[in-house]
Amino acid sequence: MTAAADVLVVEDDPDLAALVAMILDDAGFAVRSASDGRQALARVAERMPGLILLDMRMPVMNGWEFAREFRARHGRAAPIVVVTAAENARLRAEEIGADGWLEKPFELEDVVAVADRFARGAPGEADAR
């Protein structure tokens, strides 16, 4: 498995994080999890993921703070996709300069499609979805 197929799930709801991890693991991705932005920064320091799925509202360090710190330290080394139940997911994504967004609740296949697009995606493949 290549590092490009490595996904970091940053989600404070343990049941949702476990579900997303199981879906992505079944699809062949290497999955790591963090329950807040501070843990996510530590995971990134261990190994840069191919994709970060980022919840916005979390304790300790929220998604906005994580994104700001991640970009300051690593630039655009990994794509960030916002995963949010906010009314306007696209706006949340734009606020942090994310590469995409996924609205909660989501279909399981949408999680895999986002991971395929950003963590494994060949150029142009994203436009086909």
Side-chain angles (χ1 to χ4, degrees):
M1 177 138 333
T2 66
D6 179 22
V7 179
L8 177 60
V9 177
V10 187
E11 170 63 59
D12 64 323
D13 177 332
D15 294 333
L16 183 56
L19 176 65
V20 171
M22 183 181 72
I23 293 163
L24 293 174
D25 185 61
D26 286 350
F29 291 91
V31 183
R32 294 179 295 147
S33 298
S35 61
D36 62 62
R38 188 175 299 150
Q39 278 187 3
L41 288 172
R43 301 284 185 280
V44 166
E46 294 164 3
R47 185 174 72 243
M48 185 62 64
L51 169 65
I52 300 167
L53 294 178
L54 180 65
D55 184 25
M56 296 305 289
R57 298 195 183 278
M58 298 175 290
V60 183
M61 178 184 272
N62 67 35
W64 290 273
E65 294 165 332
F66 167 82
R68 185 171 48 249
E69 189 62 31
F70 177 83
R71 295 290 192 219
R73 294 182 189 183
H74 307 288
R76 301 192 74 80
I80 296 174
V81 173
V82 169
V83 183
T84 183
E87 193 170 305
N88 191 336
R90 180 180 182 173
L91 180 60
R92 296 278 107 44
E94 289 172 353
E95 286 174 353
I96 66 162
D99 299 277
W101 66 92
L102 187 60
E103 293 182 52
K104 294 177 188 174
F106 46 76
E107 297 297 322
L108 303 184
E109 53 270 9
D110 292 343
V111 175
V112 175
V114 163
D116 279 338
R117 175 180 175 186
F118 289 100
R120 288 188 184 145
E125 196 176 289
D127 300 329
R129 297 197 192 278

